[in-house]
Amino acid sequence: MMQSALQFRAATSADLSAIAALSQLVWLHTYAPEGINADVADYVLQEFTTANTRQRFADENQRYLLAESDGKLIGYLLLQMNAACEADANCSAEIARLYVIPQFAGKGLGRALLREARDMLQSRGHHALWLTVYAGNQAAIGFYQHCGFNHIGDTFFQLGEQQHANLILQLRF
């Protein structure tokens, strides 16, 4: 990947189907490495649709920041500006998703997207942001800790009949 071809920008309505497709790809790669059952299939096909992406895009409190290479989407960050953190009532900016296509992981895209989000939040008077991450995703936890996030609480993600432990992480700036 050539650095000159790498670009970061805000999403437009023309990006919505690509965002939905990338979301499905990354979610399945991350959370279904051993295969897909009915709960996983139902969740992915209901959650990561162009219609849901369009609804988030239209919400003034949600922002998609994109990473592209040669004009193709390779990652994104979804920032929610009004998302109350159950572990810190004073923190209302959440990274709802930070997804990078697996073959582009480890190349600085996630860090650059985080920097873009932090700069935007600081310009709006925010001093922290938070996110949840699957407790079994050691690569993501290590990445976030390396970027300065701290573990401030725990929560769960419900998928079908199963609860999956998640960590609540926070970055102060």
Side-chain angles (χ1 to χ4, degrees), residues 27-106:
W27 201 94
L28 288 169
H29 180 269
T30 304
Y31 300 108
E34 296 176 5
I36 300 170
N37 64 26
D39 288 336
V40 167
D42 290 345
Y43 177 78
V44 168
L45 293 174
Q46 291 169 16
E47 177 64 22
F48 301 115
T49 65
T50 302
N52 283 350
T53 304
R54 182 176 294 109
Q55 188 174 30
R56 287 183 185 88
F57 178 77
D59 183 340
E60 65 185 30
N61 289 313
Q62 300 192 49
R63 296 285 177 263
Y64 284 98
L65 303 172
L66 308 184
E68 293 180 320
S69 178
D70 294 323
K72 296 179 188 100
L73 183 64
I74 59 173
Y76 77 87
L77 183 147
L78 173 58
L79 187 61
Q80 292 187 353
M81 307 299 269
N82 256 352
C85 177
E86 64 185 74
D88 181 350
N90 296 316
C91 189
S92 63
E94 176 190 14
I95 295 176
R97 295 189 183 125
L98 175 52
Y99 287 175
V100 174
I101 291 178
Q103 59 265 39
F104 292 94

Side-chain angles (χ1 to χ4, degrees), residues 2 4-5 13-14 31 41 61 66 86-87 95-96 100 102 108 129 135 143 153 160 163 168 170 173:
M2 296 175 47
S4 62
S13 60
Y31 300 108
N61 289 313
L66 308 184
E86 64 185 74
I95 295 176
V100 174
L129 59 88
F143 166 76
Q163 284 190 332
I168 301 172
Q170 183 182 60
F173 40 86

